[in-house]
Amino acid sequence: MNKHFFSGVFMLAVGLLLLLLLIPYGIDTPKKIRYAALSPTYYPQIVALILSVIGAAIIFRNRKPLKLKETDEPDAVHPNAQIRIGSFLALLAVYSLSLEFLGFVLSGALALATSLILSGERRAIIIIAMSLLLPISLFLFFFKVAYVPVPNGLLAPFIRWI
Amino acid sequence: MLDALQEGFFLFANWQNLMLLGLGVTIGTFVGAVPGMTTPMAVALTLPFTFTLHPVSGILLLLGVYKGGLYGGSITAILIKAPGTPAASCTLLDGYPLARRGEARRALDIALYSSCIADFISNLALILCAGALATLALAFGSPEVFTLILFSLTIIASVSGDQLLKGLGSAAFGLILAVVGLDLVYGTNRFVFGQVELMSGLNFIPVLIGLFALPEIIAFFGRSESVRKHNPLAGVGATLSDLKKTLPTIIRGSVIGVILGAIPGIGGAPAAFLSYSEARRTSKNAANFGKGEIEGIAAAESGNNGTAGATLIPLLALGIPGDITTAIILGAFMIHGLRPGPLMFQDNISLIYALFIGIMMSSVFLFVVGKTFIRLISRIADIPHRILFPVVLVLCVFGAYAVNNTIFDVTIMFVMGLLGFAMLKLQIPAAPFLIAFILGPMLEDNFRQSLLMSRGSWTIFFSSPICWLFWSLTVLAVFLLVRRNVGSLN
């Protein structure tokens, strides 16, 4: 089976999930509706139905195995591609969870340093300078110029005087 | 009239006005280029500085920010695939592929030229045709807007490439995600699942950044960084022949922008997409669209910036703000004791002329500021990806947070990034998702408002010549697209 087939399965699955579960339980419908077309579920149901039909059509058209047309050229794929992508996704998860606790500057600096190393940058001066300067500059711009209350996390006691 | 024009000229002609207009365009361009910083945000932040200024100076400063912001959104869309504004997301479809080929400067130049020409045409329309366009705009009710958006959605088939079915499926995902939030008619929850942050729906900017910039970064970690192939156009700006080639597209896009901009509530994004769709439909290079075609950039930017002056038509002629930014500008008028509308043309005509002169000058400032910016920032595309992408990641996090000051938006961006990466791996085109997500709320809102007006009767969608015009265009577009794509459905 190929990517097209899996795309079809994915769309059909999401469409059916919407029709059978998410729309009935995820959308609050008033008891009395004057016109059916005005119901909060009417439009999402149409879209979900279309999605399911498209998914089924893609499955039908790709039921026989096809030769794959790859996005990346074979020589462009990194030898440790899966490890690198997996590590980066783990980094994204940690980065996302640490934003509130560590604050944007500290978590940004750590995420930047880690991702620079992961991406293959080895010059310490670049890694340190970028990791410090970028999050601090962005913090100062958003906090002082745009008045965006960026969370400071652990650095809050030190940043208060700015 | 000549006396009033002369008086208006004297009101405008001083260094302070010129400097403030230039400053406004610079601020707007910079802010528009920062993902997460929106033009309405920049105009709102600038508003307090206008309180002590002369009304002409203050309003020109705000108009400068507005116009700069419209253009600035395209810069990061082209360079790092992170659109600063929803309308700029159309520019990235061709801008980013060009930047990846090393032709960032050419792409940025074309975006700037298209923006300036479209802005100029839009300003002319504001000055010369405000009355006629305001009348046309008033003829657009919910049914007309519904049919217009439906017609705009036919672009989905164009941007799906050779995978029409997958493109339509991707669009259906976009339409369903656009539904999240409070229901417009009954005020009930839709896909909120107890999350208060979801009640206002998913914000455009985190979704756009997540869908386009993040998958690119994730995919980078799966690739070896290769030495770029030599491209003779690398680092070279757009030529006169590029401009000549794109000029008809720019003019058509500007006209589309002017017409849609004059209709309150439409905004730049539908204009950009409709202009793009029309350009692709009529272009000899239709197959190159989405792969780095300068006509695509010209169409998107001219459609977007064509709305700049036209959005002021309902504001100045009728006192109706066309979008959030012009609503803030309306506030600035009122703070200075002015009330836009027909009476202002009687009571403050010299001030109107002064503003018109300033608005025309803003196109010149946009060109000068844009050219300076391009010289400085086009080199961003030359930064090695191993450094650029981690930097973009941090920039995206700050940008996604800044829109609503909530970490929830950052989470949404990460989730959309994962979805975008899955779509990339499954070869599902992301552009139809984006178009549907942006146009979806307008489609549904106007669909339901129309049915409310007609007490549930569907005949309202066929009640005016404008509706019939857009139905005919939609049927024609679908017919042509099906005929073209029938052999390559997937």
Side-chain angles (χ1 to χ4, degrees), chain B residues 380-420:
Chain B
I380 286 176
D382 299 331
I383 297 172
H385 286 177
R386 67 176 185 280
I387 295 173
L388 181 65
F389 283 141
V391 167
V392 172
L393 170 70
V394 177
L395 188 66
C396 288
V397 169
F398 273 83
Y401 174 82
V403 181
N404 283 326
N405 302 342
T406 163
I407 291 178
F408 186 78
D409 277 347
V410 181
T411 312
I412 292 293
M413 182 192 74
F414 282 135
V415 172
M416 290 309 299
L418 291 178
L419 179 70

Side-chain angles (χ1 to χ4, degrees), chain B residues 95-285:
Chain B
Y96 185 70
L98 263 178
R100 275 200 74 168
R101 291 209 306 251
E103 296 172 43
R105 184 138 187 204
R106 186 164 168 241
L108 288 166
D109 272 351
I110 286 295
L112 177 67
Y113 299 156
S114 315
S115 300
C116 291
I117 295 170
D119 185 51
F120 189 77
I121 292 174
S122 192
N123 294 339
L124 275 182
L126 165 69
I127 294 167
L128 302 175
C129 322
L133 281 167
T135 312
L136 175 72
L138 284 179
F140 271 78
S142 292
E144 287 79 13
V145 175
F146 170 76
T147 50
L148 164 69
I149 299 295
L150 200 64
F151 172 57
S152 305
L153 280 173
T154 56
I155 188 193
I156 284 167
S158 317
V159 296
S160 302
D162 55 356
Q163 300 182 0
L164 184 59
L165 275 178
K166 278 178 158 185
L168 292 174
S170 172
F173 276 125
L175 288 175
I176 214 76
L177 271 189
V179 157
V180 174
L182 281 184
D183 177 61
L184 179 80
V185 178
Y186 290 99
T188 54
N189 291 327
R190 296 203 290 184
F191 304 127
V192 169
F193 304 111
Q195 292 283 335
V196 180
E197 291 95 337
L198 281 177
M199 288 174 93
S200 55
L202 297 172
N203 192 284
F204 288 127
I205 302 295
V207 171
L208 296 186
I209 296 175
L211 198 65
F212 285 98
L214 266 188
E216 196 68 27
I217 301 172
I218 300 171
F220 159 76
F221 282 92
R223 287 196 302 260
S224 295
E225 194 165 13
S226 54
V227 179
R228 280 184 197 156
K229 289 173 192 164
H230 174 70
N231 181 347
L233 290 173
V236 178
T239 59
L240 196 61
S241 97
D242 284 337
L243 184 60
K244 274 185 190 165
K245 183 185 161 194
T246 52
L247 198 57
T249 307
I250 295 172
I251 292 170
R252 185 181 42 238
S254 307
V255 173
I256 290 172
V258 165
I259 294 171
L260 296 197
I263 305 166
I266 297 282
F273 286 122
L274 191 59
S275 167
Y276 186 86
S277 170
E278 285 307 296
R280 190 184 187 277
R281 201 173 54 78
T282 52
S283 173
K284 287 175 192 164
N285 305 321

Side-chain angles (χ1 to χ4, degrees), chain B residues 309-356:
Chain B
T311 319
L312 300 172
I313 292 172
L315 176 72
L316 292 177
L318 307 167
I320 303 167
D323 56 16
I324 306 167
T325 316
T326 44
I328 301 168
I329 295 172
L330 173 68
F333 271 101
M334 293 167 90
I335 286 164
H336 288 286
L338 301 163
R339 188 159 188 90
L343 278 180
M344 203 166 100
F345 280 79
Q346 276 179 18
D347 303 339
N348 301 90
I349 188 67
S350 53
L351 186 134
I352 294 274
Y353 282 137
L355 288 178
F356 281 170

Side-chain angles (χ1 to χ4, degrees), chain A residues 105 133-150 162, chain B residues 27 30-38 41-42 45 395 398-399 402:
Chain A
V105 175
L133 287 178
L134 184 78
I136 292 172
S137 313
L138 285 172
F139 169 77
L140 288 175
F141 171 74
F142 280 105
F143 193 65
K144 299 297 283 184
V145 181
Y147 303 111
V148 173
V150 180
I162 294 176
Chain B
I27 293 171
F30 178 74
V31 167
V34 179
M37 288 293 290
T38 58
M41 203 190 279
L45 284 169
L395 188 66
F398 273 83

